[in-house]
């Protein structure tokens, strides 16, 4: 959905958190693990897979801007107080 520009990361995380009751959505989790590993996985699967190619390119843009997630204090969210931890985030 993100790669196809259907929804932004925060909207996807909100929907995920509401639907599953999880404390974080997939993009918050990506921030925690860092973007290098997901980028490398997407890149490895990009051959003959246009959506993985798009995902790899989008992740690479963030990596190039030093938005690596929690390790750099900025990724899909800004740290130390990411907006998804705000009680009003799911409203």
């Amino acid at each position: 959905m993100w790669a196809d520009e259907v929804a932004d990361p925060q909207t996807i995380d909100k929907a995920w958190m509401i639907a599953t009751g999880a404390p974080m959505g997939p993009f918050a989790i990506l921030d925690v693990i860092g973007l290098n590993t997901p980028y490398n996985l997407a890149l490895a699967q990009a051959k003959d897979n246009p959506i993985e190619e798009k995902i790899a390119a989008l992740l690479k843009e963030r990596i190039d801007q030093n938005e690596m997630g929690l390790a750099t204090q900025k990724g899909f969210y800004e740290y130390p107080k990411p907006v998804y931890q705000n009680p009003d985030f799911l409203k």
Side-chain angles (χ1 to χ4, degrees):
M1 294 181 75
W2 174 54
D4 284 336
E5 300 178 10
V6 173
D8 62 86
Q10 285 190 1
T11 301
I12 294 167
D13 278 1
K14 283 180 189 182
W16 181 280
M17 292 166 69
I18 290 168
T20 66
M24 293 188 288
F27 291 92
I29 293 168
L30 286 173
D31 274 356
V32 171
I33 64 172
L35 298 188
N36 279 333
T37 299
Y39 166 71
N40 286 323
L41 290 170
L43 195 59
Q45 295 178 352
K47 185 178 179 185
D48 301 324
N49 189 334
I51 194 70
E52 290 293 336
E53 190 174 330
K54 278 184 175 178
I55 292 168
L58 289 167
L59 290 171
K60 180 79 166 97
E61 286 176 20
R62 289 187 178 268
I63 290 168
D64 288 347
Q65 294 174 14
N66 201 37
E67 295 179 4
M68 308 277 289
L70 191 57
T72 61
Q73 301 294 293
K74 187 170 183 180
F76 293 100
Y77 297 94
E78 291 188 24
Y79 297 87
K81 295 182 181 184
V83 70
Y84 67 82
Q85 291 179 342
N86 184 322
D88 293 332
F89 183 70
L90 298 181
K91 291 182 180 179

